[in-house]
Amino acid sequence: MDTVTRPRILVVGAGFAGVECVRRLERKLSPDEADVTLVTPFAYQLYLPLLPQVASGVLTPQSIALSLRRSGKYRTRIIPGGAIGVDLKSKVCVVRMITDKIVNERYDYIVLAPGSVTRTFDIPGLTEHAFGMKTLAEAAYIRDHMISQLDLADASDDPAERAARLQFVVVGGGYAGTETAACLQRVTHAAVKRYPRLDPKLIRWHLIDIAPKLMPELGDRLGRSAQEILARRGIEVSLGVSIDKAGPEEVTFTDGRVVPTHTLIWTAGVVASPLIATLGAETVRGRLAVDADMTLPGHDGVFALGDSAAVPDLAKGQDGAVCPPTAQHAMRQGKVVADNVIAALRNQPLSPYKHKDLGLVVDLGGKDAVSKPLGIELRGVPAQAVARGYHWSALRTNVAKTRVATNWLLNAVAGDDFVRTGFQARKPAQLKDFEYTDAYLTQEQVRARVEGQPALESP
């Protein structure tokens, strides 16, 4: 008797793009039409834009970690691990399980949505001494670390040590860096009331960026408004400046300044997941070059989207324009890719992705925000209402919406707390410890594994 095998759809990544794709596949495909598998180390979707509020304690970690197993209709098989290589010719994805076991996962259609990782440069001491703001673990770790610095400064009788522990440096004048600096500064400002031995003047925050403007995507006026809000709070903004070197107790800026600090938070942009480099395919600034329907040219059954794909931005009408790596594009691309995978299964024509940007929102904590919905510039409370309204509506489940709204209300009424949860170990964590950027294989290692040759040591 012949056994009929259903087509295998493999989705890599459980970010905005991957989850939206999986959910739509589940709704539109009948159970006997295809098997859907999702590769992700964590069975939740992380709402990244609210990470600074987790780091500041306004939101609890679980409130922005949306479980993938809550749906009663959920039938997707989840592989708990990360894709570390793909052989497009053999249609095999190499997966490192959370137990470190390496397995080969075969597919007929693959949707690559591995997202991005923190962009770093060859700066002495950077990866050893900087924290990122890209994962839930990093946000929780930074919160513990920040409160630890307050506790240690309060207990110290050494003026130099106290001053160093109360200086904080954030690198990156984009949305992540600006919101991180703004949200965390509010916590340390409020903390002074609980630490009577600390001089408020010793607590200093630095936000630096090599670019000449803060959040240039917002436009000059809103960018200046955001900078004025930060300056009013006492955050020192330095533009045209970056890091020359970093150490465990001080950071040297490119303008020669040496800042004694134990806290360096690096948010200077992102790059496509290292998985893309294992494909041997054409890229655009590190992102996989795909057509407007998000297929990979020359490779049957391969789709890519989100932060790791250079999806043509048809709405701009400019040659070479690609969609920015934002949540709103990733979510909408996920739905279109799911429709295109189904169309490919059913031998139907594929559709291009086209979406007009809805605008930008920047939550600076408290009543401060700047927003630009549909090109309309807003500041203060109206901007804050738009920012939080947008984030709240974008949360996928009612449980998450309830948790976030409750956390916001509780924080507004009761204020901040300064409890360390114990995540911080005696040994400081590094950037690679959170994002596993050293776990990927080379093209040669992927090929050797797929062909059954002797295993090669991972890089």
Side-chain angles (χ1 to χ4, degrees), residues 131-208:
F131 305 111
M133 183 62 75
K134 198 74 174 61
T135 68
L136 197 60
E138 283 176 313
Y141 188 94
I142 286 174
R143 175 167 172 76
D144 262 20
H145 171 82
M146 178 180 64
I147 297 174
S148 295
Q149 300 314 300
L150 297 174
D151 289 342
L152 291 168
D154 183 65
S156 177
D157 292 323
D158 182 349
E161 180 189 3
R162 178 175 288 190
R165 294 196 181 278
L166 295 180
Q167 288 210 77
F168 305 87
V169 178
V170 179
V171 183
Y175 305 110
T178 302
E179 289 187 333
T180 296
C183 291
L184 296 186
Q185 185 273 339
R186 289 190 77 250
V187 176
T188 56
H189 179 73
V192 175
K193 302 173 183 177
R194 312 292 178 89
Y195 294 86
R197 296 182 70 244
L198 296 182
D199 182 356
K201 296 180 181 179
L202 289 178
I203 299 179
R204 298 182 60 188
W205 281 84
H206 303 265
L207 175 61
I208 69 173

Side-chain angles (χ1 to χ4, degrees), residues 156-440:
S156 177
D157 292 323
D158 182 349
E161 180 189 3
R162 178 175 288 190
R165 294 196 181 278
L166 295 180
Q167 288 210 77
F168 305 87
V169 178
V170 179
V171 183
Y175 305 110
T178 302
E179 289 187 333
T180 296
C183 291
L184 296 186
Q185 185 273 339
R186 289 190 77 250
V187 176
T188 56
H189 179 73
V192 175
K193 302 173 183 177
R194 312 292 178 89
Y195 294 86
R197 296 182 70 244
L198 296 182
D199 182 356
K201 296 180 181 179
L202 289 178
I203 299 179
R204 298 182 60 188
W205 281 84
H206 303 265
L207 175 61
I208 69 173
D209 193 278
I210 195 64
K213 297 179 181 179
L214 197 68
M215 296 181 293
E217 298 89 345
L218 281 174
D220 291 342
R221 288 187 298 182
L222 282 185
R224 284 197 302 270
S225 295
Q227 190 167 341
E228 289 169 0
I229 291 171
L230 299 181
R232 188 166 65 245
R233 291 190 189 173
I235 299 175
E236 184 177 335
V237 179
S238 300
L239 300 175
V241 178
S242 189
I243 296 295
D244 185 56
K245 61 181 179 179
E249 298 181 2
E250 67 178 27
V251 173
T252 303
F253 294 175
T254 52
D255 61 4
R257 283 181 291 166
V258 178
V259 176
T261 181
H262 294 258
T263 308
L264 171 61
I265 302 175
W266 180 267
T267 63
V270 296
V271 294
S273 166
L275 177 67
I276 299 303
T278 73
L279 305 179
E282 182 184 353
T283 59
V284 178
R285 295 184 179 180
R287 302 167 71 184
L288 197 60
V290 296
D291 291 332
D293 56 11
M294 290 169 284
T295 57
L296 183 63
H299 297 278
D300 179 53
V302 180
F303 299 80
L305 67 163
D307 291 6
S308 288
V311 180
D313 193 345
L314 300 182
K316 286 188 176 180
Q318 301 174 0
D319 291 338
V322 298
C323 297
T326 62
Q328 61 175 285
H329 278 290
M331 293 168 68
R332 288 159 178 79
Q333 288 170 5
K335 296 177 181 179
V336 176
V337 158
D339 290 342
N340 283 343
V341 171
I342 295 171
L345 272 170
R346 299 172 180 172
N347 294 316
Q348 297 172 349
L350 278 57
S351 302
Y353 172 75
K354 186 175 182 180
H355 169 70
K356 186 177 180 180
D357 203 305
L358 297 178
L360 305 165
V361 295
V362 182
D363 188 338
L364 300 175
K367 298 179 180 179
D368 293 323
V370 290
S371 300
K372 195 174 183 179
L374 301 175
I376 302 172
E377 296 186 353
L378 299 174
R379 300 168 181 79
V381 175
Q384 182 65 282
V386 170
R388 294 204 169 182
Y390 173 79
H391 290 315
W392 186 84
S393 64
L395 293 168
R396 187 172 45 80
T397 67
N398 290 329
V399 172
K401 290 180 179 179
T402 301
R403 283 176 174 164
V404 167
T406 302
N407 286 171
W408 280 338
L409 178 61
L410 183 61
N411 181 261
V413 173
D416 300 303
D417 67 77
F418 308 100
V419 177
R420 281 188 286 126
T421 56
F423 282 121
Q424 181 167 359
R426 290 176 179 269
K427 179 182 177 182
Q430 300 177 355
L431 276 171
K432 67 179 182 180
D433 296 325
F434 291 108
E435 301 189 39
Y436 307 104
T437 52
D438 58 346
Y440 295 85

Side-chain angles (χ1 to χ4, degrees), residues 5-12 18 21-22 24-26 28-39 75-79 93 105-112 301-303 337-346:
T5 303
R6 288 188 295 269
R8 296 162 295 187
I9 303 172
L10 183 65
V11 180
V12 176
C21 176
V22 166
R24 199 168 183 89
L25 289 172
E26 288 181 325
K28 291 198 165 189
L29 284 175
S30 61
D32 59 350
E33 197 169 359
D35 291 328
V36 182
T37 300
L38 176 64
V39 178
R75 67 174 188 268
T76 297
R77 168 181 169 237
I78 297 179
I79 300 179
C93 178
E105 188 68 21
R106 297 191 176 276
Y107 63 84
D108 297 296
Y109 299 90
I110 188 169
V111 177
L112 296 169
V302 180
F303 299 80
V337 158
D339 290 342
N340 283 343
V341 171
I342 295 171
L345 272 170
R346 299 172 180 172

